[in-house]
Amino acid sequence: MAKYLLLKHYRGGPAPAVDFAPMDQWTPDEVDAHVRFMRDFAARLEEAGEFVDTQALAPDGAFVRYDGEGRPPVTDGPFVETKDLIAGWYIVDVESWDRAVQLAGELSAAPGPGGKPVCEWLEVRPLWGDSPAVTE
Amino acid sequence: MGRLARGHRVNEPLLRELVPAVIGVLVRRGADFAAAEDAVQDALVEAVRVWPDAPPQDPKGWLVTVAWRKFLDASRADTSRRHREARVESEPMPGPGEAVDDTLQLYFLCAHPSLTPASAVALTLRAAGGLTTRQIAQAYLVPETTMAQRISRAKRTVSGVRFNQPGDVATVVRVLYLVFNEGYSGDVDLAAEAIRLTRQLAAMTSHEEVAGLLALMLLHHARRPARTRPDGSLVPLTEQDRSLWDTRLIAEGVDVLQTALARDRLGEFQAQAAIAALHADARTAEETDWVQIVEWYDELVRLTASPVARLNRAVAVGEADGPRAGLAALAELDPALPRHTAAAAYLHERDGDPVTAARLYAEAARSAPSLPERDHFTRHAARLNAQLRG
């Protein structure tokens, strides 16, 4: 088994395959259907024994760094117009890369306006784990 | 029995050794496997609570009695929910089945070919190993609910399998190898657990590959104290402090392997163990018998055609016949193989080309199969680059 991060972006990545209005322009039923899909997706992963974690990130925040002994950390941002903005993630524990890609494909089919799949781009990244005992 | 409940703590590994046999007794009495397994887990929890103050005379008998009661309670609750008569009401007389040890059958069931590797691993650790779902989840760094689902799906998958069907030792061996090799280091020592289960299996069957696997595990486990620094970073075989190797485990591993090899039915695990034994036999890295190791890799490649074995063979050829020969062997393999770039970096450095080696180590770090290896390759690249600047 190997763990993969399925990363959702607010912005960034390849050009959107489907152009749709921001979620606050959808009908309430469309919003509900989308949220329900996300919840059901996590439940299905859990039932399949593949679920590790899911979190959503608020878009606001700031960059922070160390600025020397005895000085408070420096903050920068928030950057309203940064190119790439992460929205959240699922972490799955699956048999193979192919299975991770299959799951990302399913997640990308979340319903949008008119119940049509949003087809959003998801970034799939392997997590580095521990090294095996036998390598020679 | 003092050996199971010493002082105020229950000796859990010894307690867990009884688990598969107790599940077997319940199944012979008519319980289905999934319910029997749950009942025995409940009995274990009670044993850990009760035994320190009141250690039983007959631990297995105690577990059977308590697990059977748990099973009856559960099936009564189940049947009353469904407004049906309890299927099993009274405790049956101990029959001839009690004397039969079904532990081996249980191993076969947990490694049934219908299960995915991950399911077989989880079910083996619970039903043959007696670990709790929480312990298994912690070992594999997933939530307990996820592991619980994996185990209950696995139980459903094998629910139609007859318990007394003959199984294939080879599937069990592969599952135990996965447990040993996973490398995650949580609260549960999976390597030690894999060795315990393989020992138990080896005591029940004379299959050469079970012995081969046990020898392989013992020989690798012997090196574990030398394999990582206190900060968790990897120490390659050639740089390990060999005085840290566990000579008792090495002696046992070599002994187990020699007995298996004498039967002249070679398999991949015996071949891998033979390679580990040759490493264990060298007092210093320079004394390593690389020529013989290459011969064993030839056997391993013949037995498995595994690309990983071919890659490791190329590295061994580099040691036996020089880095050019190693690079030539490597050139015949798919460059996308895990650790291919790292092997090339190592051989180029030995061939006196630090520029290429540094570039390849940096590349190997990016495609490393694990975090400790990424850090290890990065350190090599940094060392060579510093030398080149120096």
Side-chain angles (χ1 to χ4, degrees):
Chain A
M1 298 291 268
K3 294 189 178 69
Y4 294 89
L5 176 71
L6 314 186
L7 203 54
K8 289 167 69 72
H9 296 251
Y10 287 117
R11 290 193 298 272
V18 177
D19 226 357
F20 53 84
M23 229 166 139
D24 56 12
Q25 309 292 316
W26 301 4
T27 68
D29 282 351
E30 286 165 353
V31 172
D32 285 349
H34 187 83
V35 171
R36 201 179 315 118
F37 179 95
M38 291 296 164
R39 212 175 33 231
D40 290 352
F41 186 74
R44 270 198 297 135
L45 284 177
E46 198 164 279
E47 203 188 319
E50 296 177 321
F51 178 82
V52 179
D53 187 38
T54 179
Q55 298 292 336
L57 295 174
D60 297 333
F63 282 84
V64 180
R65 71 165 175 85
Y66 178 66
D67 195 39
E69 190 62 46
R71 296 158 67 102
V74 174
T75 62
D76 199 357
F79 299 99
V80 186
E81 289 305 324
T82 42
K83 224 172 78 200
D84 190 13
L85 189 60
I86 293 165
W89 65 74
Y90 285 84
I91 296 176
V92 296
D93 189 29
V94 292
E95 292 281 354
S96 65
W97 162 261
D98 289 348
R99 174 66 180 155
V101 168
Q102 185 189 12
L103 287 172
E106 287 174 23
L107 183 57
S108 171
K116 293 201 186 74
V118 292
C119 297
E120 69 175 329
W121 287 102
L122 289 158
E123 193 179 356
V124 182
R125 301 275 300 272
L127 269 68
W128 257 322
D130 214 339
S131 65
V134 182
T135 50
E136 77 219 21
Chain B
M1 199 156 126
R3 141 190 123 92
L4 277 163
R6 260 196 308 258
H8 291 288
R9 276 177 65 105
V10 174
N11 186 339
E12 280 198 39
L14 280 173
L15 169 65
R16 290 195 278 107
E17 230 162 72
L18 299 170
V19 166
V22 176
I23 296 174
V25 171
L26 265 62
V27 169
R28 276 186 183 263
R29 283 185 180 181
D32 68 273
F33 165 67
E37 203 277 327
D38 283 333
V40 175
Q41 281 272 336
D42 290 345
L44 285 185
V45 172
E46 197 158 320
V48 170
R49 191 168 55 81
V50 172
W51 287 12
D53 295 322
Q57 286 298 312
D58 170 14
K60 186 180 164 192
W62 188 98
L63 281 173
V64 167
T65 305
V66 173
W68 184 250
R69 202 177 64 225
K70 302 270 183 198
F71 165 71
L72 290 179
D73 288 349
S75 45
R76 270 193 210 106
D78 201 32
T79 45
S80 65
R81 262 204 308 278
R82 295 186 213 156
H83 305 287
R84 277 203 275 113
E85 289 275 289
R87 185 163 53 89
V88 203
E89 267 305 336
S90 60
E91 184 163 337
M93 292 299 288
E98 311 286 285
V100 179
D101 190 332
D102 283 319
T103 302
L104 185 59
Q105 293 305 319
L106 201 93
Y107 273 72
F108 288 143
L109 187 66
C110 293
H112 196 266
S114 62
L115 295 166
T116 63
S119 302
V121 160
L123 195 57
T124 297
L125 287 173
R126 213 179 110 119
L131 291 173
T132 64
T133 302
R134 172 178 296 201
Q135 285 173 316
I136 303 166
Q138 281 172 349
Y140 286 96
L141 309 174
V142 298
E144 192 177 343
T145 45
T146 295
M147 193 51 80
Q149 287 291 353
R150 216 176 269 179
I151 290 165
S152 62
R153 282 171 75 97
K155 283 183 178 177
R156 280 202 299 277
T157 304
V158 297
S159 64
V161 178
R162 290 224 331 272
F163 197 64
N164 55 1
Q165 265 174 349
D168 182 1
V169 173
T171 61
V172 181
V173 165
R174 271 193 291 277
V175 168
L176 293 176
Y177 179 72
L178 280 181
V179 174
F180 180 76
N181 211 23
E182 189 78 38
Y184 289 123
S185 42
D187 259 2
V188 177
D189 186 342
L190 285 179
E193 185 61 19
I195 289 174
R196 187 182 74 74
L197 290 171
T198 309
R199 273 190 204 284
Q200 197 172 33
L201 182 64
M204 294 181 292
T205 160
S206 59
H207 196 286
E208 298 77 24
E209 280 293 88
V210 175
L213 177 66
L214 180 59
L216 177 69
M217 287 176 174
L218 293 170
L219 289 162
H220 276 273
H221 206 56
R223 283 192 232 145
R224 190 160 75 159
R227 248 186 94 227
T228 48
R229 296 187 186 85
D231 65 2
S233 60
L234 291 178
V235 186
L237 187 52
T238 48
E239 292 166 31
Q240 285 176 16
D241 176 355
R242 296 181 180 222
S243 70
L244 295 176
W245 289 0
D246 186 329
T247 48
R248 193 184 51 83
L249 284 183
I250 289 173
E252 189 192 349
V254 168
D255 199 40
V256 170
L257 175 64
Q258 277 172 343
T259 310
L261 288 176
R263 292 201 213 109
D264 209 20
R265 288 165 60 98
L266 191 60
E268 58 175 303
F269 289 107
Q270 294 168 78
Q272 280 197 68
I275 292 163
L278 284 166
H279 284 301
D281 201 34
R283 275 176 305 169
T284 63
E286 293 71 32
E287 285 177 45
T288 309
D289 187 346
W290 287 106
V291 174
Q292 236 199 108
I293 288 177
V294 171
E295 286 170 11
W296 277 109
Y297 273 122
D298 288 337
E299 288 285 0
L300 194 56
V301 167
R302 188 180 58 76
L303 286 164
T304 68
S306 139
V308 176
R310 286 178 199 277
L311 182 77
N312 289 330
R313 182 188 168 277
V315 176
V317 166
E319 302 288 356
D321 302 333
R324 291 282 164 87
L327 285 166
L330 203 58
E332 293 168 19
L333 305 177
D334 180 0
L337 273 175
R339 301 183 184 88
H340 185 282
T341 314
Y346 175 76
L347 291 167
H348 276 291
E349 183 181 359
R350 287 183 55 94
D351 192 36
D353 182 356
V355 176
T356 305
R359 180 178 55 76
L360 289 174
Y361 268 128
E363 199 183 312
R366 279 192 297 279
S367 61
S370 74
L371 194 57
E373 285 166 275
R374 180 200 69 177
D375 296 344
H376 182 69
F377 300 147
T378 305
R379 215 171 284 117
H380 274 308
R383 172 181 57 79
L384 287 169
N385 284 327
Q387 266 174 30
L388 289 166
R389 279 194 305 272

